[in-house]
Amino acid sequence: MTHQISANVQETREMTINMGPQHPSTHGVLRLEVVLNGEVVSRVHPHIGYLHRCFEKHAEAMDDYSKVIPYTDRIDYVSAMNQEHGYVIAVEKLLQLEVPERVEYVRVILAELQRIASHLLGIGTFGLDLGAFTPFLYCFIEREKILTIFEKISGARLLYNYICVGGLMRDVPDSFKPETADFVKTFRPKIKELNDLLSYNKIFIDRTANIGILPAEVALNYAASGPMLRGSGVSWDLRKNDPYSIYDRFEFDIPVGSGEVGTVGDCWDRYMVRVREMEQSLVIIEQALEQMPDEGNVMEAVPKRIRMKEGEVYVRTETPRGELGYYIISDKSPSPFRVKVRAPSFVNLSILPAISRGALLSDLVAIVGSIDIVLGEVDR
Amino acid sequence: MKQPEEIAAYLKDKIVKGVLEFVPAEIGQPWITLAPDSIKNIAKFLRDDSELRFNTLMCLSGVHYPAEQELGVTYHLHSTTFGHTVALKVRVPIDNPRVQSVESVWKTADWHEREAWDMLGIIFDGHPNMTRILCPDDWEGHPLRKDYVQQETYQGITTRF
Amino acid sequence: MGLLDKKYHDSNIIIVSLESALNWARKSSLWYEQFGLACCAIEMMATAASHYDFDRFGIIPRSSPRQADVMIVAGTVTMKMASRIERLYEQMSEPRYVISMGSCSNSGGPYWEHGYHVLKGVDKVIPVDVYVPGCPPRPEALLEGFLTLQKKIENESIIESKPSDKITEEADRHETT
């Protein structure tokens, strides 16, 4: 039996709905103005700025380059160590400062531990968005272990203010090395557990494969970076392609999206790049622990007062979310003339309208989750 | 892979209009200054030229120079094909801050340019949606200007401590 | 030989005042609004996750303000967000409570001086019951905030309205006159 539907009944009007700023799966205070045709997304307009905390103004107002570091922590509060690391490298480049070996190794180990912690949170909440609650709890068990290590060295769980210009706030305790080695050993089997639990789960694959496909050339034109770009099959990692600190001393792979369960550049690929990156971070940590000198004064190169010359520098580092750039212009005064943060989430989020056209509304949640934004970084 | 000075020389060789000068830096990184009304053509050239291939715009930053009464925009480009990097700068007077938009060349410039408008009040000609991005639409002033005075209240709420 | 003697001994009945029964029920099922703003939201998530486990206090996240009893303002409130927070608070049904988590929502925190776009304390727009200090507060601190709120609820009376509501009522009256 066929139904006769007259043409004017079929006519639908587009509907605009708001997602956020209070929404459980926008990862913070993101507001999406979604124009829907039935259940299909026609257009998305992201509205940001709900967490604009005036970082750049604060950086100019501080009377010392070191006083900016606590604010850099708060830009991306999920990976504070990477933020500090990036800023400090930029200031050291302006000062033409050499830092001791031991400091470099500790910084790299901390940056990689932070990368794992950040990815665990990203993966956990991504699962949460798609209705998988248990992986979130498993991820947080492991994340707490990393936070315990951080707490022992810096005294804080989330925002550390530990890496300083020329060195570290204090030396790491003796327990740092064995505890980190222990974590590496116990964490490896957990990645397999996570794969069994979430990555190759049929429901999870159905929700993420072939959704939100980002082609490589679009990703490059939008200057996407991090897992967002690597998920599209572009082998691009600043730790390899433009090595900073001492990353050129380690051997590791760059995982890229291959379209294993769907198309190259879909949500699953972006997710899986993060899981594989955690393995590579473990590889780096192992090598760094082995090579790290046992002795050394971490305060040796710390300048008493920072005296700048005129100059400017753009330094980029690889954070868990992608390319973090610090553009610092210095004049002769003790405070920076201009600090601009090129935040990876800000750039990655701007692709959202391009890749969510034609997706279902429920898939929009998956796409936003796979970008892994931190609103502190988007809005600064 | 080319060094910045080579890129500047290459641009001058090709007689690209609007390339002003190469500025070497004592510390940090050098840059090339450009004329604000030719940035779009130069951007296209930089992206498409077979020896340059600057396919990504890493960063676009607005700067306020209070001593010169000028606003500036700095572009940091990178080529993933060749691995070279260059910084470009344009300067415009503060009472007529108009720069050509490069949004059509690199899509990433869209949000960066809106941010530069919001924070510093630089107008990008040819941008499809030149609206505030971080501050609310009814915000007063451009916060990152050095002479910015914070408004006392916003929608009846005091902004002071 | 009272009136109630031997009347209830074989069914499970406890005799309490209505007030303490209500307060007991309210304090033991504080459903909070799942609503993160900034850094503190990550610590709020950590408190809800496996290690600290909010659920053992009967504290469960809700995604809609209409189902929530308590709002945790976890993070920096900006000028753009202030009116939204106010509206979310209005959408919550009575009795409603607010926990201000972290320095930013207490007073503006590290952004108090140069943060042109930061609201210097969420109590400028909505009444707050408990302030939890820290930048960000540890999960234990947030738990203590909840225990403090429970103590506050224990002492509530159904005849007298909540002091914080009184303030808003007075403010409303003030505005209308």
Side-chain angles (χ1 to χ4, degrees), chain A residues 48-49 52 56-57 60 94 96 220-223 236 310 312-314 316 327 337-338 340 342 380, chain B residues 27-29 56-58 60-62 64 74 76 78 89 105 107-108 115 133-134 143-146:
Chain A
I48 61 172
H52 175 48
E56 286 162 17
K57 193 83 186 169
E60 287 170 21
L94 273 174
Q96 292 159 313
L220 281 171
N221 196 255
Y222 271 98
W236 178 259
E310 261 177 74
E312 61 174 74
V313 76
Y314 177 80
R316 48 190 192 152
Y327 174 47
F337 180 74
R338 174 87 168 94
K340 154 97 186 180
R342 185 262 193 221
R380 283 150 288 144
Chain B
I27 57 167
Q29 292 150 347
T56 59
L57 172 69
M58 293 189 288
L60 186 156
S61 342
H64 182 201
T74 311
H76 287 96
H78 182 77
K89 276 190 179 187
V105 184
K107 280 279 174 212
T108 182
E115 192 192 323
I133 186 165
L134 296 177
L144 277 186
R145 288 201 181 171
K146 300 281 181 191

Side-chain angles (χ1 to χ4, degrees), chain A residues 21-24 28-29 31 47-55 57-58 61-62 71 74-75 77-78 121 125 128 133 136-141 143-144 147 151 155-159 375, chain C residues 33-40 42-43 45-46 48-52 62-65 75-78 80-81 84 88 91 104 110-118 135-136 138-140:
Chain A
Q22 186 265 330
H23 189 278
V29 280
R31 181 177 149 221
H47 291 264
I48 61 172
Y50 290 95
L51 192 57
H52 175 48
R53 299 194 278 193
C54 336
F55 167 78
K57 193 83 186 169
H58 279 90
M62 293 299 120
Y71 290 98
R74 284 156 182 80
I75 294 178
Y77 34 82
V78 180
L121 189 109
T125 48
L128 204 61
F133 189 70
F136 168 73
L137 297 176
Y138 276 79
C139 287
F140 263 70
I141 296 174
R143 188 172 171 269
E144 284 296 330
L147 296 194
E151 203 180 337
R157 275 169 54 87
L158 201 66
L159 311 170
L375 263 297
Chain C
E33 201 191 333
Q34 189 187 2
F35 169 43
L37 287 170
C39 330
C40 291
I42 306 298
E43 284 299 66
M45 274 160 67
S50 26
H51 208 83
Y52 293 94
R62 306 302 300 176
S63 298
S64 165
T76 316
V77 186
T78 57
K80 208 172 176 177
M81 197 64 200
R84 273 77 171 176
L88 285 169
Q91 284 177 347
C104 287
Y111 305 98
W112 74 275
E113 199 180 355
H114 307 291
Y116 51 85
H117 192 246
V118 174
C135 187
R138 294 180 58 89
E140 290 94 332

Side-chain angles (χ1 to χ4, degrees), chain B residues 31-67:
Chain B
W31 64 85
I32 303 168
T33 45
L34 306 175
D37 55 349
S38 52
I39 177 74
K40 194 171 161 186
N41 278 336
I42 296 173
K44 268 205 193 108
F45 179 80
L46 287 166
R47 185 191 64 180
D48 298 332
D49 187 77
S50 60
E51 282 189 41
L52 296 173
R53 291 253 181 263
F54 281 107
N55 52 357
T56 59
L57 172 69
M58 293 189 288
C59 186
L60 186 156
S61 342
V63 189
H64 182 201
Y65 302 95

Side-chain angles (χ1 to χ4, degrees), chain B residues 114-125:
Chain B
R114 277 176 70 190
E115 192 192 323
W117 155 249
D118 189 359
M119 291 291 121
L120 290 135
I122 301 164
I123 302 163
F124 291 89
D125 286 326

Side-chain angles (χ1 to χ4, degrees), chain C residues 15-167:
Chain C
I15 299 166
V16 290
S17 69
L18 179 62
E19 216 166 70
S20 40
L22 270 179
N23 286 348
W24 170 79
R26 269 176 196 163
K27 77 161 200 193
S28 317
S29 66
L30 281 171
W31 292 3
Y32 72 92
E33 201 191 333
Q34 189 187 2
F35 169 43
L37 287 170
C39 330
C40 291
I42 306 298
E43 284 299 66
M44 186 176 82
M45 274 160 67
T47 324
S50 26
H51 208 83
Y52 293 94
D53 193 13
F54 249 174
D55 279 12
R56 59 195 161 133
F57 298 96
I59 301 164
I60 299 170
R62 306 302 300 176
S63 298
S64 165
R66 299 185 197 279
Q67 300 166 348
D69 304 303
V70 52
M71 177 198 246
I72 309 176
V73 185
T76 316
V77 186
T78 57
M79 288 298 163
K80 208 172 176 177
M81 197 64 200
S83 57
R84 273 77 171 176
I85 296 258
E86 218 176 333
R87 176 172 294 188
L88 285 169
Y89 179 74
E90 280 159 9
Q91 284 177 347
M92 288 166 72
S93 52
E94 298 263 2
R96 53 194 172 187
Y97 306 95
V98 175
I99 293 181
S100 161
M101 180 184 183
S103 304
C104 287
S105 68
N106 289 349
S107 67
Y111 305 98
W112 74 275
E113 199 180 355
H114 307 291
Y116 51 85
H117 192 246
V118 174
L119 183 69
K120 313 300 180 312
V122 73
D123 48 10
K124 283 195 184 350
V125 287
I126 56 170
V128 175
D129 292 280
V130 177
Y131 296 88
V132 181
C135 187
R138 294 180 58 89
E140 290 94 332
L142 181 59
L143 285 176
E144 207 205 331
F146 264 99
L147 297 181
T148 315
L149 183 63
Q150 287 187 339
K151 266 186 211 139
K152 191 175 173 177
I153 295 171
E154 260 173 38
N155 298 325
E156 260 176 19
S157 152
I158 45 172
I159 303 161
E160 273 178 58
S161 61
K162 242 177 81 187
S164 56
D165 284 339
K166 259 193 215 156
I167 295 170

